[in-house]
């Protein structure tokens, strides 16, 4: 059995895992066809654990919102709105409109009616005392993503953004900066509030330690991957695993494909280039976390202490994404 751990954010992470599943011969969406049989024999051929960023999580309307976990769960479970990239397909917005008529704050966050059910179940379970990892596993019994989805941490650890605007220097939750302000306020810093005290969620440390390969999805290096590595025990686990640790660049030809990686990288003084992001992660032999770095064709630049390979890194469809995953596993020394 091959054990693979992926560190993932939302859209980039989820799309990559679709390709990884295809590369391993699994149906990209849903559980393996033979799940019942393999469960009985307890000999599932591939074991994929996706450790998902929780730095974007926030309380709104009294509900716990976990954008990246839900994007992964809905994408891999076949419930995502593929055009928007988040939330449920076939969504309606009655509750949002009703909240607006009450003038209920915040009015800037879209929570669809179908999506709301997920949030009600999650929040109720959290209030009953279940950790987020257990809540996520419970939600996944419906969505059957075919991988184990683990929140990076069960503790509250949120990304905040330090901005300067007419009100002066202040910090706000990442979601407020990203969604309410459309990432338009100049950000000088991204801070993972609570990271120092946060512990990895149950199973995260063990999955990384026992993995045959650890892959960093082409997710945002600052607010998706960076927020998980800011948790000291996660960084230690990645640094000490016997598996090879391979990253896939989210930067292609000097551009982030979508999202706000450019802004995030600028705020931490890293150039928006594949090589610069590889250097930012650093090689394990020089105190960083990577053994190998996969970059898009033409983006190759040597990074001290790690093997850099060029392959097409555009997730245009499942086949192209599966080829990326195969290249990453190959760089990890796994022939699958
Ligand atoms: P988010 O949490 O929804 O923002 O998603 P992630 O952090 O997982 O992924 C966002 C990142 O995915 C962005 O920074 C993009 O640079 C990267 N990305 C999106 N599409 C592609 C693609 O086709 N290829 C590569 N290499 N990166 C991509
Ligand atoms: Ca995210």
């Amino acid at each position: 059995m091959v054990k693979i751990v992926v560190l993932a954010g939302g859209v980039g992470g989820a799309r990559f895992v679709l390709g990884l599943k295809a590369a391993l011969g699994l149906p990209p969406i849903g559980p393996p066809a033979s799940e019942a049989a393999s469960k009985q024999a307890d000999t599932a051929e591939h074991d994929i654990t996706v450790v998902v960023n929780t730095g974007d999580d926030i309380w709104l309307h009294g509900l716990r919102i976990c954008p990246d976990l839900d994007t992964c769960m809905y994408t891999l479970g076949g419930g995502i709105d593929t055009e928007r990239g988040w939330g449920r397909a076939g969504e309606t917005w009655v509750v949002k409109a009703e909240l607006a008529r009450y003038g209920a704050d915040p009015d800037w966050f879209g929570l669809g009616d179908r999506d709301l059910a997920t949030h009600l179940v999650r929040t109720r379970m959290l209030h009953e005392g279940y950790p987020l990892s257990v809540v996520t596993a419970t939600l996944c019994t419906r969505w059957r993503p075919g991988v184990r989805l683990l929140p990076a941490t069960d503790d509250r650890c949120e990304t905040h953004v330090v901005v300067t605007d007419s009100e002066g220097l202040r910090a706000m939750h990442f979601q407020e900066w990203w969604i309410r302000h459309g990432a338009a306020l100049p950000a000088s810093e991204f801070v993972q509030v609570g990271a120092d005290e946060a512990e990895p969620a149950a199973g995260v440390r063990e999955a990384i330690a026992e993995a045959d390969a650890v892959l960093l999805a082409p997710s945002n290096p600052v607010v998706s991957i960076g927020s998980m590595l800011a948790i000291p025990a996660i960084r230690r686990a990645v640094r000490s695993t016997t598996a090879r640790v391979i990253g896939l660049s989210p930067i292609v030809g000097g551009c982030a494909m979508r999202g706000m990686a450019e802004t995030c990288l600028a705020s931490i003084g890293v150039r928006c280039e594949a090589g610069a992001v590889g250097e930012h992660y650093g090689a394990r032999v020089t105190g960083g976390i990577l053994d190998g770095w996969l970059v898009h064709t033409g983006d190759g630049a040597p990074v001290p202490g790690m093997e850099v390979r060029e392959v097409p890194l555009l997730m245009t469809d499942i086949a192209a994404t599966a080829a990326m995953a195969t290249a990453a596993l190959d760089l990890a020394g796994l022939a699958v």
Side-chain angles (χ1 to χ4, degrees):
M1 185 174 67
V2 180
K3 293 184 185 172
I4 297 163
V5 171
V6 182
L7 302 191
V11 179
R15 289 201 179 143
F16 175 68
V17 176
L18 286 177
L20 174 65
K21 290 180 73 186
L24 295 172
L26 302 166
I29 292 172
S34 61
E35 192 195 46
S38 60
K39 241 190 196 158
Q40 257 175 349
D42 200 23
T43 54
E45 234 184 283
H46 304 293
D47 175 333
I48 306 174
T49 299
V50 183
V51 178
V52 183
N53 171 46
T54 49
D56 297 10
D57 297 8
I58 188 170
W59 288 98
L60 295 174
H61 301 296
L63 300 170
R64 190 61 176 164
I65 319 271
C66 303
D68 289 0
L69 275 170
D70 284 352
T71 293
C72 288
M73 183 173 77
Y74 292 155
T75 300
L76 297 164
I80 197 85
D81 182 309
T82 44
E83 257 166 53
R84 256 198 332 265
W86 57 270
R88 293 287 311 281
E91 191 56 285
T92 54
W93 305 90
V94 176
V95 173
K96 185 171 194 262
E98 287 294 318
L99 285 169
R101 298 188 73 162
Y102 283 111
D105 273 336
D107 59 0
W108 45 267
F109 197 85
L111 203 54
D113 302 330
R114 289 171 190 275
D115 204 10
L116 194 56
T118 304
H119 289 84
L120 290 173
V121 175
R122 173 188 292 129
T123 304
R124 175 178 169 182
M125 285 189 72
L126 288 171
H127 285 324
E128 284 168 357
Y130 293 99
L132 182 61
S133 48
V134 171
V135 176
T136 304
T138 304
L139 295 172
C140 284
T141 57
R142 172 180 175 191
W143 291 101
R144 295 157 62 83
V147 301
R148 190 155 60 123
L149 287 184
L150 290 180
T153 178
D154 285 328
D155 299 329
R156 189 164 173 171
C157 170
E158 296 174 346
T159 303
H160 288 209
V161 188
V162 180
V163 302
T164 320
D165 62 3
S166 51
E167 294 175 37
L169 186 73
R170 63 199 175 104
M172 62 181 70
H173 192 287
F174 170 73
Q175 295 290 352
E176 191 178 351
W177 176 78
W178 170 235
I179 295 174
R180 182 179 191 183
H181 298 286
L185 300 177
S188 54
E189 212 182 330
F190 290 81
V191 185
Q192 271 73 43
V193 180
D196 286 344
E197 296 79 38
E199 288 295 327
V204 169
R205 236 186 300 242
E206 296 78 358
I208 295 172
E210 292 162 12
D212 298 308
V214 175
L215 307 179
L216 270 55
S219 289
N220 188 303
V222 183
V223 296
S224 291
I225 305 288
S227 55
M228 291 191 273
L229 294 170
I231 297 170
I234 293 190
R235 191 180 171 85
R236 274 200 303 276
V238 173
R239 279 196 42 73
S240 62
T241 178
T242 51
R244 290 203 5 125
V245 182
I246 307 300
L248 293 99
S249 174
I251 306 300
V252 169
C255 293
M257 309 296 299
R258 68 201 311 277
M260 67 331 261
E262 275 118 340
T263 314
C264 297
L265 287 169
S267 77
I268 59 164
V270 174
R271 288 188 319 281
C272 190
E273 287 167 17
V277 175
E279 263 179 57
H280 166 65
Y281 284 139
R284 277 210 286 182
V285 290
T286 59
I289 52 151
L290 290 182
D291 301 308
W293 183 228
L294 216 51
V295 302
H296 186 62
T297 313
D299 285 348
V303 184
M306 68 180 84
E307 190 175 347
V308 178
R309 271 192 211 163
E310 291 185 27
V311 293
L313 283 192
L314 296 176
M315 298 192 280
T316 41
D317 55 31
I318 297 224
T321 313
M324 289 166 54
T326 303
L329 294 174
D330 192 50
L331 188 50
L334 289 186
V336 288

